[in-house]
C-alpha cells in the first residue's frame, strides 16, 4: 500500500476517535429545544422569519427592533404608531411573499429582508426574486427608492444570485442597494444582546437563548474544543500534517468524482429500468462546476432527459439555484390532454407541483439530510455521496419516484 495512504488511514482513525468522543459528549448535553421540536430547523418561513419578525414587532421591547437596526447599520425611520411589520402578532402572513417586511408609509421608509437558509433564489424568466420585492415596495407601495433598504440574510452572508437582482434590468441600482447579512454574524450578535436585555424576563430570555443555540448549531459555531483538538492532532506530527494536506489538496478531485459517479449511476439505473437516455451530464459539465469561475459555475445545469413509455419524455435537473427535481418541463410543446392530467395530479397529490419552468415537477430529496447540492462538496448530502450505500439509496428513491409518477399519470389518464 502507498505510504501516503497508510499514513492517511492512521490519521483518519485518530480523527474518528475525536469525532466519537464529541458525539458522546453531545448526547450528554441538554437536547430539548422547543424550535426543533415544533419545526424543521431549516423552515425559513414558519420558524426563522416568524420568530425574528416577532422579536422585531414585540411591543413591550422596542429595543429589540432598535438593536437590530443598529446591528445592520440601518437608516430606517419609523413611528411607534405607524410602523407595520410582516409577519407579526397582528399580521400573521408574509406581505406579498416578502419574508420579512418593515414599512412605515408615513415616514416613507421600508426594509425588505429575504431569508435564505438552504433554499436558492426563486427567480422567474422575466424577473428576479429581489427585483420582484423591490418593485412591490417602490412601484406599488410608492415608497421613495432612497428610503428602501433590502437585506439578503443567509447562514454565511453570501451574495444573492445575479438573476435575482438583474433579470429584468429594471433597477440597475439594486445591486448596490442589496446588503448581505448572516445568521453567523449580525443575527447571532443581535440575539445575544436581546438575551441580555431580557434579563428580568426569564421566559423571554430562555426562548431567545434556545433560538440562539439553534443558530449556533446551524452555523457550526459550536464545539470549539473539538476544533482545537483536531488542530492539535494535525500538528502533532509531520505525517498528520501531510495527511491533512493530502485531503485538502484532493478535495476538488473528490468533488469531481463524487458528482460524476452520482449522475452517471443515476443514468445507468434508469437504463436498467428500460428507459432510453436522450442526454446526460458530460465531463465538461463537472469540470466547470468544480474548476470553473463563479459565473460559469452558476450557468451550468446538470440534467438527464429520457424517454418514457407514455406520450412525453421526462427530465431530471439540478442547477445552481434549484434543487434536484424530476418531471416534465416546457422545453417542448405538451398536448393539452397531457397538461390536463398533470394539473389533476398536482391537485390530487401534494408532492406534485408546477411553475413557469415545469409542467409538473417533484422534488424527491425533501429531507434536509438528503438535499443534494452538486456545486458544494461541503454540502452534507453531496459529501455523503462518496458513500456507495448512501448514493445507492438516494438513486433508488429518485428512480422509484419516477416510476410512481408514471403510474399515477396512467391511473388518471386511463379513467
Amino acid at each position: 500500500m502507498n505510504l501516503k495512504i497508510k499514513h492517511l488511514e492512521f490519521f483518519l482513525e485518530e480523527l474518528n476517535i475525536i469525532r466519537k468522543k464529541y458525539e458522546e459528549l453531545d448526547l450528554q448535553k441538554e437536547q430539548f429545544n422547543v424550535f426543533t421540536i415544533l419545526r424543521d430547523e431549516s423552515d425559513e418561513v414558519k420558524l426563522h422569519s416568524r420568530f425574528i419578525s416577532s422579536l422585531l414587532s414585540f411591543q413591550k421591547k422596542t429595543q429589540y427592533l432598535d438593536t437590530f437596526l443598529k446591528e445592520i447599520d440601518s437608516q430606517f425611520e419609523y413611528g411607534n404608531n405607524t410602523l407595520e411589520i410582516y409577519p407579526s402578532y397582528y399580521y400573521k402572513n408574509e406581505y406579498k411573499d416578502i419574508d420579512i417586511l418593515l414599512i412605515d408609509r408615513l415616514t416613507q421608509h421600508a426594509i425588505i429582508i429575504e431569508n435564505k437558509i438552504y433554499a436558492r433564489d426563486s427567480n422567474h424568466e422575466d424577473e428576479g426574486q429581489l427585483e420582484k420585492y423591490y418593485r412591490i415596495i417602490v412601484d406599488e407601495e410608492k415608497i421613495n427608492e432612497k428610503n428602501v433598504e433590502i437585506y439578503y440574510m443567509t447562514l454565511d452572508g453570501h451574495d444573492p444570485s445575479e438573476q435575482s437582482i438583474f433579470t429584468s434590468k429594471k433597477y440597475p441600482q439594486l445591486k448596490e442597494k442589496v446588503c448581505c447579512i448572516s445568521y453567523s454574524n449580525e443575527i447571532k450578535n443581535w440575539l445575544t444582546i436581546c438575551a441580555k436585555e431580557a434579563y428580568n424576563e426569564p421566559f423571554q430570555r430562555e426562548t431567545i437563548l434556545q433560538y440562539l443555540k439553534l443558530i449556533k448549531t446551524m452555523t457550526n459555531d459550536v464545539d470549539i474544543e473539538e476544533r482545537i483538538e483536531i488542530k492539535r492532532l494535525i500538528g502533532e506530527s509531520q505525517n498528520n500534517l501531510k495527511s491533512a494536506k493530502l485531503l485538502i489538496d484532493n478535495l476538488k478531485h473528490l468533488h469531481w468524482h463524487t458528482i460524476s459517479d452520482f449522475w452517471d449511476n443515476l443514468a445507468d439505473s434508469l437504463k436498467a429500468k428500460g428507459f432510453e437516455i436522450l442526454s446526460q451530464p458530460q465531463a465538461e459539465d463537472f469540470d466547470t462546476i468544480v474548476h470553473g469561475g463563479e459565473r460559469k459555475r452558476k450557468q451550468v445545469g446538470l440534467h438527464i432527459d429520457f424517454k418514457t413509455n407514455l406520450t412525453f419524455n421526462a427530465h431530471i435537473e439540478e442547477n445552481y439555484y434549484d434543487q434536484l427535481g424530476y418531471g416534465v418541463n416546457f422545453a417542448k410543446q405538451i398536448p393539452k390532454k397531457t397538461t390536463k392530467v398533470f394539473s389533476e395530479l398536482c391537485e390530487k397529490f401534494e408532492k406534485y407541483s408546477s411553475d413557469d419552468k415545469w409542467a409538473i415537477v417533484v422534488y424527491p430529496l425533501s429531507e434536509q439530510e438528503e438535499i443534494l447540492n452538486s456545486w458544494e462538496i461541503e454540502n452534507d448530502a453531496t459529501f455523503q455521496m462518496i458513500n456507495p450505500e448512501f448514493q445507492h439509496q438516494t438513486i433508488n428513491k429518485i428512480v422509484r419516484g419516477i416510476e410512481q409518477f408514471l403510474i399515477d399519470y396512467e391511473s388518471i389518464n386511463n379513467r
Side-chain angles (χ1 to χ4, degrees), residues 261-288:
D261 287 350
F262 169 75
W263 284 91
D264 288 346
N265 290 337
L266 177 56
D268 288 343
S269 294
L270 290 168
K271 289 177 191 174
K273 293 292 184 178
F275 296 109
E276 180 185 345
I277 304 298
L278 302 173
S279 67
Q280 68 183 85
Q282 301 299 308
E284 53 265 31
D285 298 319
F286 305 126
D287 286 342
T288 303

Side-chain angles (χ1 to χ4, degrees), residues 74-116:
S74 169
Q75 303 303 310
F76 183 69
E77 296 179 8
Y78 71 94
N80 288 328
N81 297 320
T82 52
L83 171 64
E84 296 173 42
I85 298 178
Y86 300 84
S88 67
Y89 180 82
Y90 297 102
Y91 309 104
K92 301 296 185 184
N93 298 318
E94 296 73 35
Y95 185 79
K96 298 187 177 181
D97 296 327
I98 299 172
D99 287 334
I100 301 175
L101 174 66
L102 288 71
I103 186 168
D104 191 319
R105 294 175 174 85
L106 185 64
T107 66
Q108 277 284 293
H109 279 74
I111 289 178
I112 300 165
I113 301 176
E114 174 56 21
N115 185 15
K116 292 292 184 189

Side-chain angles (χ1 to χ4, degrees), residues 180-331:
C180 296
I181 58 176
S182 70
Y183 281 89
S184 60
N185 188 15
E186 287 86 357
I187 299 303
K188 187 183 71 174
N189 294 344
W190 171 59
L191 290 169
T192 301
I193 296 171
C194 288
K196 291 177 181 177
E197 291 176 349
Y199 67 93
N200 61 343
E201 308 260 8
F203 182 76
Q204 273 184 48
R205 184 173 183 275
E206 181 57 33
T207 303
I208 294 169
L209 287 174
Q210 285 218 356
Y211 183 66
L212 180 59
K213 181 180 178 182
L214 172 62
I215 296 305
K216 287 183 175 181
T217 300
M218 293 176 65
T219 56
N220 199 27
D221 187 19
V222 292
D223 299 329
I224 294 174
E225 296 87 355
E226 182 180 14
R227 296 174 195 168
I228 292 172
E229 195 160 347
I230 292 171
K231 178 177 177 292
R232 178 200 56 75
L233 171 64
I234 293 172
E236 73 178 11
S237 74
Q238 279 297 313
N239 285 335
N240 285 358
L241 280 167
K242 290 176 181 177
S243 294
K245 192 169 187 304
L246 181 64
L247 282 176
I248 294 168
D249 290 345
N250 283 280
L251 192 60
K252 283 187 178 291
H253 302 299
L254 286 171
H255 186 185
W256 195 100
H257 287 287
T258 299
I259 60 175
S260 172
D261 287 350
F262 169 75
W263 284 91
D264 288 346
N265 290 337
L266 177 56
D268 288 343
S269 294
L270 290 168
K271 289 177 191 174
K273 293 292 184 178
F275 296 109
E276 180 185 345
I277 304 298
L278 302 173
S279 67
Q280 68 183 85
Q282 301 299 308
E284 53 265 31
D285 298 319
F286 305 126
D287 286 342
T288 303
I289 287 173
V290 175
H291 303 294
E294 192 66 15
R295 184 178 62 83
K296 287 187 176 181
R297 292 179 74 237
K298 292 178 179 180
Q299 291 174 346
V300 176
L302 298 174
H303 55 84
I304 297 174
D305 293 290
F306 58 98
K307 285 187 177 181
T308 70
N309 58 347
L310 301 173
T311 58
F312 54 83
N313 295 335
H315 183 78
I316 306 172
E317 181 174 351
E318 181 196 5
N319 61 54
Y320 184 84
Y321 304 104
D322 295 306
Q323 64 172 291
L324 184 146
Y326 63 76
V328 179
N329 61 17
F330 288 116

Side-chain angles (χ1 to χ4, degrees), residues 330-341:
F330 288 116
K332 291 185 178 180
Q333 190 170 359
I334 305 168
K336 287 185 178 179
K337 182 181 178 182
T338 302
T339 56
K340 184 179 178 183
V341 176

Side-chain angles (χ1 to χ4, degrees), residues 124-169:
H124 294 281
E125 196 171 309
D126 57 348
E127 184 177 51
Q129 187 175 18
L130 294 182
E131 286 181 316
K132 172 188 173 182
Y133 300 156
Y134 193 70
R135 171 179 56 78
I136 289 170
I137 301 306
V138 172
D139 294 353
E140 296 179 17
E141 294 297 330
K142 307 299 182 185
I143 302 296
N144 192 312
E145 283 191 70
K146 70 178 183 179
N147 296 333
V148 177
E149 299 175 23
I150 185 162
Y151 295 89
Y152 192 71
M153 184 168 68
T154 62
L155 290 177
D156 59 2
H158 67 261
D159 292 332
S161 65
E162 187 173 341
Q163 288 88 338
S164 186
I165 57 178
F166 205 60
T167 294
S168 72
K169 301 180 177 63

